[in-house]
Amino acid sequence: MSRTLSFRPLRGQSAANLVLALLLGVASTGSILTGEVVEGPVWLTLPVALACAAAVAMRTTWPIWAAATVALAGLAQALGGTESPGTLMALVATLLVVYSAGAEREEGAAAVGLALVLGSSLVQEWLDHGSDYAFITIEIAGVWLLGRAARSWRSRATYAEQHQRDLARLAVAEERTRIARDLHDVVAHSLSVIAVQADAAEAALQRDPTRAAEPLRAIRSSARDALTDMRQMLHLLRAEDTDAPADRAPARSVSDLTQLVDGMAEAGLQIQTEIRLPDDLPAGLGLAVYRIAQEGLTNVRRHAGPVRTRLVVVDQGHQVRVEISNEAPATVPARAVDTDSSTGHGLIGARERALAVGGTLQAGTTESGGFTLVAHLPLNGSVS
């Protein structure tokens, strides 16, 4: 989305313009009233001096009007006085106004301001029968170009500042997304297993209390795993980059897939696995494989219930293929955890993890009514 850069005069600039205009006005009127400057009748030169001072006061707020004021005032004195205004104060006012026209407005309006002042100055020189047309052009156009250069510099500085703010906002948004994804991976999976095992424990307590011990143990194990992952994530968020990682638990990897499968099997999922991976899998890729497999199995248990499921994690030479597929459920599960069932945060997070390592992820229902999730994660940073 494009942004239009604008430059509003600060209060300090306006105050400075007012002070400068007051000084020029006092000096000009003093010289005229004391007779030090005689360029025509006082009734004409005095309003011209005051008009030039007023133009300086409004040069940053209304630079084109300021340029027009200086141009008309100079022409009026050249036509009605003995000569054009040639005092130092008049020259300062002219140069300040033409600089502001170049610095405060876009190309077209700035060119109008230059044309007004330069055209008026050249006409005044002609009326005075002078010959310094080249010098006047170089002088006024050079100051106008300085104004354009100042505007260009301010534009680049403003753009750079805005770009830095955008980068900071983007970094914050990316960090929030990463934290939300990690929280989902830790909480949703564990809560799903705990909910299923709690249902099993409740049913066992009603029929045979001795059989409630196994699901209660599964609940305890899932809760401890969730706490471990949560502590690890909080430690990473709070710690500085230079902190020693010795007291941190290792991040999840493919070596934890067996524990994940066992936990889902205890929750009632009928899992068939095929896992063939190299020993030197990068840590980031290993974490992505684990989290994608975790999300896929959790979704199966939450939405399809204890159906037959196949988990495939294999090395295909240039990429790792992660596939979770399940049969269609015989009936809709009587109870499910809707942590993200309506929003799909889980699949969004899994797809983001795949993209983060340069891979792809597709998911959808099958013709038989089941569901398949397939991710291809490159070993060398790109998927062929």
Side-chain angles (χ1 to χ4, degrees):
M1 180 177 180
S2 63
R3 290 184 175 83
T4 302
L5 298 178
S6 60
F7 304 100
R8 299 293 184 184
L10 300 176
R11 291 183 179 180
Q13 291 177 310
S14 298
N17 290 335
L18 290 175
V19 171
L20 185 57
L22 180 62
L23 293 175
L24 287 175
V26 170
S28 299
T29 55
S31 299
I32 293 171
L33 294 176
T34 58
E36 293 182 10
V37 174
V38 179
E39 294 178 340
V42 174
W43 62 266
L44 178 62
T45 55
L46 187 58
V48 167
L50 294 176
C52 290
V56 171
M58 63 179 178
R59 66 188 181 92
T60 54
T61 308
W62 300 292
I64 306 306
W65 286 107
T69 299
V70 168
L72 291 176
L75 285 176
Q77 183 169 336
L79 291 172
T82 58
E83 56 181 304
S84 301
T87 62
L88 177 61
M89 281 71 74
L91 177 61
V92 170
T94 300
L95 296 181
L96 286 175
V97 165
V98 78
Y99 172 87
S100 297
E104 301 296 336
R105 289 295 179 264
E106 297 293 341
E107 191 73 30
V112 171
L114 171 65
L116 288 171
V117 176
L118 180 58
S120 173
S121 299
L122 293 177
V123 170
Q124 293 172 49
E125 184 70 9
W126 177 74
L127 291 174
D128 287 342
H129 307 289
S131 59
D132 292 334
Y133 300 107
F135 175 78
I136 292 173
T137 301
I138 293 174
E139 179 184 43
I140 294 178
V143 173
W144 181 83
L145 288 175
L146 286 177
R148 297 305 299 167
R151 180 178 176 84
S152 177
W153 178 85
R154 284 192 296 173
S155 175
R156 288 195 297 270
T158 302
Y159 176 81
E161 183 180 354
Q162 182 63 51
H163 183 60
Q164 290 297 324
R165 286 198 295 264
D166 290 342
L167 289 178
R169 282 195 293 266
L170 180 60
V172 170
E174 290 177 347
E175 185 65 12
R176 291 178 64 180
T177 300
R178 185 186 68 81
I179 293 172
R181 183 174 61 238
D182 289 342
L183 279 173
H184 173 274
D185 290 340
V186 172
V187 175
H189 166 73
S190 300
L191 287 181
S192 297
V193 174
I194 289 173
V196 170
Q197 295 295 351
D199 287 344
E202 183 181 11
L205 287 172
Q206 293 175 357
R207 295 192 301 268
D208 183 3
T210 59
R211 299 180 60 182
E214 184 174 349
L216 289 175
R217 283 194 295 270
I219 290 174
R220 179 177 60 191
S221 177
S222 296
R224 285 178 175 174
D225 288 344
L227 286 173
T228 298
D229 286 343
M230 189 68 71
R231 290 192 189 100
Q232 171 69 3
M233 187 175 65
L234 292 175
H235 196 158
L236 291 174
L237 289 174
R238 291 173 176 172
E240 299 291 340
D241 293 338
T242 55
D243 286 352
D247 57 343
R248 301 180 190 174
R252 296 291 187 179
S253 66
V254 293
S255 61
D256 297 303
L257 286 175
T258 301
Q259 180 183 354
L260 173 65
V261 170
D262 291 343
M264 297 305 296
E266 290 178 359
L269 206 60
Q270 305 172 44
I271 306 180
Q272 180 184 0
T273 62
E274 180 184 355
I275 301 176
R276 291 183 284 105
L277 290 172
D279 297 331
D280 57 345
L281 202 65
L285 181 58
L287 176 61
V289 169
Y290 176 85
R291 292 303 188 191
I292 291 172
Q294 181 188 55
E295 178 58 32
L297 295 176
T298 301
N299 279 345
V300 172
R301 188 63 186 86
R302 181 189 302 123
H303 300 298
V307 298
R308 295 181 61 181
T309 305
R310 178 175 174 80
L311 170 64
V312 177
V313 185
V314 295
D315 174 20
Q316 295 183 324
H318 59 283
Q319 65 183 10
V320 174
R321 176 167 159 262
V322 182
E323 179 177 350
I324 301 98
S325 57
N326 62 275
E327 296 180 350
T331 59
V332 177
R335 190 174 178 185
V337 177
D338 34 333
T339 305
D340 67 336
S341 58
S342 62
T343 57
H345 291 314
L347 287 179
I348 292 174
R351 185 170 286 109
E352 288 174 348
R353 287 195 180 275
L355 292 174
V357 295
T360 60
L361 184 144
Q362 296 85 33
T365 56
T366 62
E367 294 181 358
S368 61
F371 195 85
T372 301
L373 182 151
V374 181
H376 295 93
L377 311 177
L379 289 171
N380 57 358
S382 61
V383 178
S384 58

